[in-house]
Amino acid sequence: MDPFGKYIKAVSARAADKEILKKAQDGGIVSAAYIYGLESGLLDGVIIADKEDGFAAAPKVATTREEILNAAGTKYTVCPNLSVVKSAVREYGCDKLGFVGTPCQVRSIRKAIKYPIGYRHVPDKIALIMGIFCMENFPYNGMKAIVEEHCGIKMDDVVKTDIGKGKFWVYSKWGDVKTIPLKDTHPYEQGSCHVCMDYTAELADISTGSVGSPDGWSTIFVRTAKGEEYLNKMVEAGALETKEIDAVKPGLGLVEKLALTKKEKNGKEVEHRKEIGLPVPY
C-alpha cells in the first residue's frame, strides 16, 4: 500500500521570516508560501482559514501579508474553504489564486477543476494548491465540547490549539495550557473523516505538516512540476530554510506509519459500509 501518493521530493523546511515563525504554527509553510506568492506576483489572492468569535474557523479571501499573518495557525475544526473560491475569482478578480485545504478539500478542488460544473470560470485561475496533513477533523460543536467541557476553557478565550505527543492542546489568552488525550477526542470527530484514506493530501501541488520534522519545522511533499517550481523559487529567494528529510528525526518513518494507519483503518470502515449498504462519501 502506497503511504504518500506520488511525489517528486520530500524535505523538512521552515519559514525564514521571523515574523511568520512567531505567528504561524510549526514551520509556517503555508503562510510563507502565500506571502511569498503575493509579494512576488505569483499569486494575487489566497484562500485562508480565518478566525471568528469563539475561535470558529471562517474562510476568507486574503490579498495582503497582514491578512495572512492575522489568520495564521492551525484550526482543528471544519472550515469550508471551497465556498469562497468563486467569489475570489468573480468579486476579488483573482487570476492567480492560492488554495489550501485538508485532503478532502484538495480532492474536491481537483474535481471542480476537472469537471467545472458551476465552476467554469475557476479552473485556469487556480495557481497553487496546498494540502495539510490530516488524520481527522472536528465540527465546531465537537471542538467546543473538547475545549470547554474537557479542558475547561471558554472558546472566546482560546488563542491556539495544537496536536502533539498523543494529546490535544488548548492555549488560552490568560496563559492557561490544558490537554486531553487524543483517544478521548474520537467521539467528537467529523463522521466523514472515518472513510477518508488520505493523510498527506496526495492531490496537492505541495503538501505539508509538522509530523516527521523537528519542533518548529514542517515536512513538505512536492508533488507536481508546478509545486516544484514554486518551492524552488521560494528557496532561491530566501523565503524558506530547508533540510534533507533523511537528515532529520523522526523523519518519514513516522509519517508513513500514520498514513498507513489511516488507510488501513478507514479502508476497513469503507468496506464495512459497502457490505451493509451505507453510502460512502469519499
Side-chain angles (χ1 to χ4, degrees):
M1 187 181 292
D2 185 355
F4 307 133
K6 294 181 180 180
Y7 67 98
I8 297 170
K9 64 180 178 181
V11 297
S12 183
R14 68 179 179 183
D17 187 315
K18 297 298 188 289
E19 185 181 16
I20 293 175
L21 289 176
K22 183 178 179 180
K23 293 195 173 184
Q25 205 143 330
D26 304 312
I29 304 303
V30 174
S31 296
Y34 271 179
I35 289 172
Y36 170 75
L38 292 180
E39 293 181 346
S40 66
L42 292 176
L43 303 174
D44 55 14
V46 296
I47 306 297
I48 59 176
D50 205 355
K51 297 183 286 286
E52 291 185 334
D53 292 342
F55 207 72
K60 179 180 178 179
V61 182
T63 58
T64 68
R65 173 189 179 93
E66 290 70 27
E67 288 175 313
I68 293 169
L69 288 176
N70 287 339
T74 305
K75 292 86 178 169
Y76 295 97
T77 186
V78 177
C79 185
N81 284 5
L82 273 86
S83 67
V84 297
V85 169
K86 285 199 288 188
S87 64
V89 173
R90 293 179 178 178
E91 297 172 23
Y92 287 78
C94 296
D95 290 320
K96 295 174 289 185
L97 184 65
F99 179 87
V100 64
T102 55
C104 58
Q105 292 173 324
V106 169
R107 183 174 296 267
S108 296
I109 196 68
R110 287 294 187 195
K111 286 182 178 180
I113 291 170
K114 191 170 183 63
Y115 307 103
I117 300 173
Y119 277 77
R120 62 190 179 92
H121 299 295
V122 170
D124 63 341
K125 304 296 194 296
I126 306 296
L128 181 71
I129 298 176
M130 301 194 70
I132 299 172
F133 296 179
C134 180
M135 186 63 77
E136 65 272 318
N137 210 337
F138 302 95
Y140 182 75
N141 285 338
M143 169 75 80
K144 185 175 181 180
I146 292 169
V147 172
E148 295 193 345
E149 296 176 20
H150 289 270
C151 295
I153 294 176
K154 293 181 180 179
M155 290 296 284
D156 285 333
D157 294 341
V158 176
V159 294
K160 179 182 176 182
T161 55
D162 201 358
I163 290 177
K165 301 178 181 177
K167 297 178 181 180
F168 188 99
W169 299 71
V170 183
Y171 301 79
S172 84
K173 64 183 180 182
W174 310 112
D176 300 311
V177 180
K178 300 292 183 67
T179 65
I180 172 177
L182 275 182
K183 62 182 178 64
D184 294 338
T185 68
H186 294 322
Y188 304 102
E189 294 165 359
Q190 184 86 359
S192 56
C193 293
H194 299 157
V195 294
C196 172
M197 292 180 284
D198 184 354
Y199 175 64
T200 59
E202 297 174 15
L203 298 182
D205 293 312
I206 297 172
S207 305
T208 185
S210 63
V211 175
S213 288
D215 289 345
W217 292 69
S218 291
T219 300
I220 294 177
F221 288 102
V222 180
R223 300 190 177 278
T224 66
K226 180 188 289 186
E228 183 177 33
E229 181 181 8
Y230 197 99
L231 189 77
N232 287 344
K233 287 181 178 179
M234 288 185 69
V235 173
E236 290 169 5
L240 276 187
E241 297 179 55
T242 63
K243 294 181 179 180
E244 294 295 326
I245 194 68
D246 293 337
V248 303
K249 293 183 179 181
L252 289 185
L254 180 57
V255 186
E256 180 176 357
K257 178 182 178 181
L258 293 175
L260 289 176
T261 295
K262 184 173 185 178
K263 288 179 184 291
E264 292 168 359
K265 176 185 174 183
N266 291 358
K268 291 178 182 178
E269 177 64 20
V270 168
E271 292 305 314
H272 172 68
R273 293 192 182 195
K274 288 180 179 178
E275 288 173 2
I276 62 178
L278 288 178
V280 180
Y282 186 72

